[in-house]
Amino acid sequence: MSTTQASLPKAVREGAATTSILRRSNFAVAVIVGLLLVFAVTTPAFLTYENFRSAIGSAALTGTVAVGLTFITLSGNFLPLSVEQSATSVAISLAIALNAGLPVPLALLVAVVVALIVGAVQGYVVSLGANPIIVTLGAGAAIAGIVAAVTGNRALTVDATLLRWLGDASLLGVPISTWIFLAITVVATIFSRHHRRGVEVRLMGENKAAARASGLSVPFLTILAFVLATLAIAVVAILSVSSFGRASTDQFTGLTFNAIAAVLLGGTALQGGLGSPMRSAFGAVFVALLINMLSLREFSYGARLLVEGIVVVAAVSYYRVRSKAVQK
């Protein structure tokens, strides 16, 4: 660090570093978009309206989850590995409630309560000092076991007119799921930047010791971050059941990886404190378009996963290297 930099107040140096990181992140995003456009031009079917509509619809589900997961990462608790199982628990709960004869509003309430419990329990255990990776991995296994025992590993079908409407409806030619994704992204971004609790989650992620010293309730904020994430997961689970009219244990395969990839491609720092739900939403759109393009080029499932993994590792490595560079 130069003498001039060292003489600056710490807050100014940190602010300058953050600004520099964001500028370089934006540059990386521009590079990714540029490459995507090049590939799109060389894949004619990619530019059709129906294909783009399908890709964005897929991005809406992954993006909604990614927006919720951003709060866990911002809080300094890495990323949950129980996304698919949490979504399955909500979907199965909704199907059981509907098949038991509950009205759709009450069945939806049951599903939301299940999501709140799943998120709060994981957040509480993590708030006690447990490793979030181990907690969410264990929670995922436990949830999967419970769901399998309850359903006998059978898919549950549902037949609710109102719910089917939610899955099939569109506005201005755009699926309702996409509008919900956009609304959640905007609300989450505003909450993260301007609401007191959202700002506190970010501050906790930057430095938990300082957060405690300043009087912030770290346990509460940790639980809040997990609850917000599982509520976003619940939205996707409900939309999925609405669209397919069924709930099964394998309904959300790949959701965990895709949502995590979206958060990381969006530039949210794994150590916490730096990132944005809006950027995670952008990352989800990129992931969906990338997978869609690879599918049109007839890449195998394994090849698509390989490419997606390479892109994620490259992006995270870039963000990490640039972050270290501006902190020197």
Side-chain angles (χ1 to χ4, degrees):
M1 180 182 295
S2 67
T3 304
T4 302
Q5 286 179 309
S7 64
L8 291 174
K10 181 180 179 182
V12 175
R13 296 200 309 271
E14 292 179 347
T18 299
T19 300
S20 182
I21 292 171
L22 291 176
R23 285 176 178 173
R24 286 167 171 77
S25 297
N26 290 333
F27 173 76
V29 169
V31 170
I32 291 173
V33 171
L35 290 174
L36 194 60
L37 289 175
V38 170
F39 290 137
V41 170
T42 60
T43 310
F46 180 83
L47 297 175
T48 62
Y49 170 76
E50 286 302 323
N51 180 67
F52 189 73
R53 186 174 183 269
S54 173
I56 295 301
S58 177
L61 299 181
T62 300
T64 299
V65 174
V67 166
L69 299 193
T70 304
F71 288 102
I72 293 180
T73 309
L74 284 174
S75 71
N77 290 299
F78 191 62
L79 285 158
L81 302 180
S82 56
V83 173
E84 294 167 24
Q85 295 83 357
S86 297
T88 300
S89 69
V90 174
I92 294 296
S93 299
L94 176 59
I96 291 175
L98 289 170
N99 291 337
L102 289 182
V104 171
L106 285 181
L108 290 174
L109 179 60
V110 169
V112 171
V113 169
V114 168
L116 289 173
I117 294 173
V118 169
V121 169
Q122 293 181 76
Y124 175 71
V125 175
V126 171
S127 73
L128 296 177
N131 186 303
I133 298 177
I134 296 176
V135 170
T136 56
L137 188 63
I143 294 171
I146 293 173
V147 169
V150 171
T151 64
N153 273 328
R154 297 189 305 272
L156 304 180
T157 58
V158 299
D159 184 17
T161 303
L162 179 59
L163 207 62
R164 292 292 295 174
W165 174 86
L166 179 63
D168 298 334
S170 62
L171 178 64
L172 301 177
V174 178
I176 289 296
S177 60
T178 301
W179 290 110
I180 292 175
F181 165 48
L182 293 175
I184 288 177
T185 299
V186 172
V187 171
T189 300
I190 293 174
F191 178 82
S192 174
R193 293 178 179 177
H194 303 292
H195 192 278
R196 180 168 64 92
R197 293 303 187 186
V199 174
E200 288 176 350
V201 167
R202 187 186 300 272
L203 292 175
M204 179 182 72
E206 291 180 355
N207 191 319
K208 285 188 180 180
R212 289 192 184 93
S214 62
L216 298 184
S217 176
V218 171
F220 171 78
L221 293 173
T222 300
I223 295 172
L224 175 63
F226 274 85
V227 166
L228 291 174
T230 49
L231 285 177
I233 292 171
V235 170
V236 168
I238 291 170
L239 288 173
S240 180
V241 173
S242 302
S243 297
F244 300 108
R246 64 192 292 271
S248 64
T249 55
D250 62 351
Q251 193 159 334
F252 302 98
T253 301
L255 182 59
T256 299
F257 180 76
N258 288 338
I260 289 177
V263 174
L264 297 179
L265 285 171
T268 297
L270 282 175
Q271 68 269 25
L274 179 63
S276 165
M278 184 70 73
R279 295 179 65 83
S280 294
F282 179 88
V285 172
F286 172 74
V287 168
L289 293 177
L290 176 64
I291 293 175
N292 177 265
M293 182 186 62
L294 293 174
S295 298
L296 291 176
R297 285 173 167 247
E298 300 182 347
F299 277 59
S300 66
Y301 177 71
R304 294 199 301 270
L305 283 180
L306 176 62
V307 172
E308 187 178 357
I310 291 174
V311 170
V312 170
V313 170
V316 173
S317 299
Y318 174 84
Y319 292 138
R320 186 62 178 169
V321 169
R322 298 315 303 173
S323 175
K324 288 184 176 180
V326 299
Q327 289 174 0
K328 290 181 179 179

